[in-house]
Amino acid sequence: MKFSIGGSLKLAFRPWVEGIENIPAEGPAILASNHLSFSDSFFLPAVLDRKVTFIAKSEYFTSPGVKGKLTAAFFKGVGQLPVDRSGGRGAGEAAIKSGIEVLERGELFGIYPEGTRSPDGRLYRGKPGGLARVALATGAPVIPVAMIDTEKVQPPGKIVPKMIRPGIRIGKPLDFTRYQGMEGDRFILRSVTDEVMYEIMKLSGQEYVDIYATAAKRQIAEAAKAEAEQAKKAAAE
């Protein structure tokens, strides 16, 4: 199913790719990507010959009815791994464990260090817990990836995609084996994460913002709410 979905995406959108030679033909590796769109997890696997496993919300696999079964089949077909992310720290530990298991099988593991989609197309601070801990626990190389224009293909909230040609830039593998056994050191985790984010920034050309994307989303929501309340108050006067 992965090949049929990938073939359809490549035929319809013709994504361009740079640096495909940086993906190893075999063995474990972590693909650390920026996150612009829901479709990122589909376009990246579509251009690779190897399977890439990403973490996905367990709700995508457990929804009832025919639609739910079709959704679950689709996500399984493109290499999504269900993890219950609703339990706070426990959810994070489950995602880390799942990533380690994928890499121990000698496969590719995909992760978005920002933790959520960018709200405005800029690159946000990477969260150190997942990416760095998985990298240091396994010794797997980290390959920075930049998704280009995928937010234009399927903007947040839009169901029907636009026929825009996206791009993917794949950087050279980063080796963090010098830090193995130090995954309990928060300064090392931050250093590893920042190094990866810097490489993603160079590949993507995005403006970097040194706050978490989740915080940026809250700020945007609060500003929109305040603006709406001000407009409502002005209209009532």
Side-chain angles (χ1 to χ4, degrees):
M1 186 173 181
K2 186 265 184 188
F3 294 103
S4 63
I5 293 173
S8 299
L9 284 174
K10 286 196 288 185
L11 182 64
F13 293 96
R14 300 180 299 112
W16 55 265
V17 187
E18 295 177 0
I20 195 74
E21 69 277 4
N22 292 320
I23 302 294
E26 58 182 19
I30 302 168
L31 304 185
S33 173
N34 60 340
H35 199 12
L36 297 173
S37 168
F38 174 80
S39 61
D40 293 336
S41 300
F42 306 142
F43 280 114
L44 180 56
V47 302
L48 302 179
D49 292 331
R50 296 184 61 187
K51 175 185 176 182
V52 185
T53 299
F54 285 88
I55 297 298
K57 294 186 293 186
S58 60
E59 298 95 288
Y60 290 140
F61 298 82
T62 57
S63 299
V66 175
K67 182 180 179 181
K69 290 181 179 179
L70 289 174
T71 300
F74 177 78
F75 275 87
K76 290 177 182 177
V78 295
Q80 300 278 344
L81 185 68
V83 171
D84 184 355
R85 301 191 297 183
S86 62
R89 182 172 177 81
E93 293 298 327
I96 291 169
K97 181 181 177 182
S98 297
I100 291 173
E101 290 174 350
V102 169
L103 294 165
E104 288 179 341
R105 295 197 298 266
E107 300 174 2
L108 300 178
F109 177 61
I111 188 169
Y112 301 113
E114 292 168 280
T116 186
R117 281 176 283 175
S118 170
D120 55 13
R122 296 186 293 177
L123 185 68
Y124 285 86
R125 195 181 197 204
K127 294 189 173 183
L131 166 64
R133 284 182 59 189
V134 172
L136 299 190
T138 61
V142 179
I143 301 175
V145 177
M147 307 301 293
I148 311 293
D149 290 337
T150 52
E151 80 282 12
K152 298 176 183 176
V153 173
Q154 190 172 26
K158 301 294 183 181
I159 298 176
V160 179
K162 297 180 179 180
M163 302 307 294
I164 295 173
R165 191 182 185 195
I168 302 171
R169 289 196 183 100
I170 302 170
K172 295 184 180 300
L174 304 173
D175 182 2
F176 295 108
T177 54
R178 63 190 182 278
Y179 296 132
Q180 272 194 278
M182 303 175 70
E183 54 265 34
D185 188 322
R186 63 188 180 93
F187 295 106
I188 293 296
L189 296 181
R190 170 48 58 194
S191 177
V192 169
T193 305
D194 287 346
E195 184 174 339
V196 175
M197 297 308 296
Y198 179 71
E199 293 301 321
I200 294 174
M201 181 187 70
K202 289 197 298 182
L203 290 168
S204 69
Q206 291 170 278
E207 177 186 349
Y208 179 75
V209 186
D210 196 24
I211 62 172
Y212 293 123
T214 49
K217 286 184 175 181
R218 285 196 299 270
Q219 291 176 3
I220 291 172
E222 290 170 358
K225 182 179 179 181
E227 185 177 346
E229 290 177 349
Q230 187 176 9
K232 184 177 179 180
K233 183 180 179 180
E237 293 177 351

